[in-house]
Amino acid sequence: MVPDLSSDQAPCCAAKRPSDARQQSRTQPIEATTQDIPRDVVEVPGGTALTGTNTPFLPMDGEGPLRRGRVKTLYWERGTVTNEAFSRFVEATGYITEAERFGWSFVFHLHLDVPVETTVGINGQEWWRRVDGASWRYPNGPNKAPSLPDHPVVQVSWNDASAYAKWAGGRLPSEVEWEHAARGGLGDVRYPWGDADPHDEGNHFCNIWQGHFPMHNTAADGYEATAPAISFQPNGYGLYNMVGNVWQWTADPFKLRSVKKTARQANARLAGNKLLKGGSFLCHRSYCFRYRIAARTGNTPDSASTHTGFRIVYDMRPDKA
């Protein structure tokens, strides 16, 4: 059953790993690298930063209000971390992702490598199916095509992303840093390019869903799943795919900024969750309108899926930029 697509209570498209599996997770020690690794960075100037919005579309996510803060100049990778870059990390460290250690991960039902009836779905989000052997190497399962070098690495947890960032000598951005960078110098806008809305027939500014979610994707923007990390048009700071394509892990916890009792109760339930920004190729205005700059969601730090990746920032310009 497809949920009420017009409801402001529409849940997010994130897939959460069940708590009974998390005890298998073990963080691997990683040290910062000193080796020559490719970096493609742009400088994002610091200054006054905007976070949130005074016109929230999904107020239950904590999108509002609009707030002002300060950020310092940072050096951002132009795109999200790619499979090619992540493979260098794995080769150098022997790192094993959490999805690989669990032995399975979540795959979108239209991209399965096995009959859907042979898999287990998430209650209420049956389009997410558990697939044995799904990992960053084979995002949709071992019987499907391997990951593409220039596409964002997916099937990575927050713990995996943090390990990579530490190895690369960078870090995950905070929410205020992420929104400042996503706005590209435009100020209080809805998207990295301004306020023009993408839609099914045109204005394909980013890689999101076109059609009727979750059964039919016309792929009018050219991509049924991920697009290359460097694709579509960059924003004013030269950053690609700040919204759409893949959700991006941030350094922050996911919590609601409110003193209301309902918010305090929600934060208690969300304790330990990490914040994601940007939306993904599975977002559509009718269901998960979270490819806006102020939009936000959270997930457990060991969860992974085919539409979740990350990008990193550097506090100082890297030597190998």
Side-chain angles (χ1 to χ4, degrees):
M1 177 181 177
V2 177
D4 176 4
L5 302 183
S6 63
S7 171
D8 66 356
Q9 295 299 310
C12 184
C13 51
K16 183 177 295 186
R17 192 172 292 279
S19 58
D20 60 0
R22 294 176 201 157
Q23 62 183 353
Q24 304 173 34
S25 178
R26 296 290 184 275
T27 302
Q28 299 169 64
I30 295 294
E31 295 183 359
T33 185
T34 56
Q35 68 179 10
D36 183 5
I37 60 173
R39 295 184 174 98
D40 186 7
V41 302
V42 294
E43 179 179 314
V44 174
T48 300
L50 302 178
T51 313
T53 177
N54 286 331
T55 56
F57 187 84
L58 298 169
M60 75 284 191
D61 287 349
E63 295 179 357
L66 184 69
R67 304 174 298 281
R68 285 173 170 80
R70 299 285 297 180
V71 295
K72 65 180 183 179
T73 297
L74 293 172
Y75 301 91
W76 286 68
E77 293 281 359
R78 288 198 305 153
T80 51
V81 173
T82 63
N83 289 297
E84 193 277 334
F86 198 78
S87 69
R88 288 175 180 251
F89 163 58
V90 171
E91 290 168 5
T93 63
Y95 186 85
I96 302 172
T97 63
E98 293 196 285
E100 290 173 299
R101 283 180 278 144
F102 286 126
W104 63 274
S105 197
F106 292 107
V107 175
F108 190 64
H109 72 118
L110 296 183
H111 303 156
L112 291 173
D113 67 348
V114 293
V116 67
E117 60 272 13
T118 67
T119 62
V120 176
I122 297 176
N123 186 31
Q125 292 180 309
E126 284 78 10
W127 46 86
W128 283 118
R129 316 300 295 185
R130 169 180 168 153
V131 173
D132 292 342
S135 72
W136 74 274
R137 299 177 190 273
Y138 292 89
N140 294 312
N143 298 320
K144 297 284 277 190
S147 57
L148 298 172
D150 62 340
H151 281 231
V153 63
V154 295
Q155 297 292 16
V156 285
S157 68
W158 183 88
N159 294 320
D160 300 330
S162 298
Y164 175 95
K166 181 177 181 180
W167 171 80
R171 61 178 175 84
L172 299 177
S174 68
E175 182 173 25
V176 62
E177 290 168 345
W178 189 96
E179 287 205 21
H180 177 69
R183 294 175 193 277
L186 296 181
D188 184 15
V189 292
R190 177 173 278 189
Y191 308 108
W193 55 85
D195 290 317
D197 291 319
H199 53 79
D200 286 9
E201 291 75 34
N203 282 3
H204 300 315
F205 300 113
C206 60
N207 179 22
I208 54 176
W209 185 282
Q210 293 91 43
H212 182 65
F213 185 88
M215 300 309 299
H216 179 60
N217 185 359
T218 67
D221 60 15
Y223 301 96
E224 185 179 358
T226 59
I230 304 297
S231 59
F232 295 87
Q233 292 297 310
N235 74 355
Y237 291 147
L239 301 173
Y240 289 80
N241 290 311
M242 285 299 285
V243 299
N245 214 23
V246 294
W247 281 102
Q248 299 168 45
W249 289 111
T250 72
D252 289 350
F254 178 58
K255 60 183 179 180
L256 308 183
R257 296 179 180 87
S258 174
V259 297
K260 292 182 179 180
K261 181 179 179 180
T262 53
R264 295 198 305 269
Q265 292 172 337
N267 285 335
R269 294 192 304 271
L270 297 168
N273 282 14
K274 297 298 183 178
L275 177 73
L276 294 127
K277 298 287 287 186
S280 79
F281 66 85
L282 293 178
C283 284
H284 189 270
R285 181 167 185 145
S286 66
Y287 173 65
C288 182
F289 188 26
R290 291 179 173 90
Y291 48 93
R292 295 166 292 111
I293 292 173
R296 56 208 304 272
T297 195
N299 210 339
T300 57
D302 55 2
S303 292
S305 65
T306 55
H307 72 335
T308 302
F310 66 101
R311 76 174 71 213
I312 61 174
V313 301
Y314 304 93
D315 292 299
M316 300 180 62
R317 183 180 292 276
D319 293 336
K320 302 297 188 295

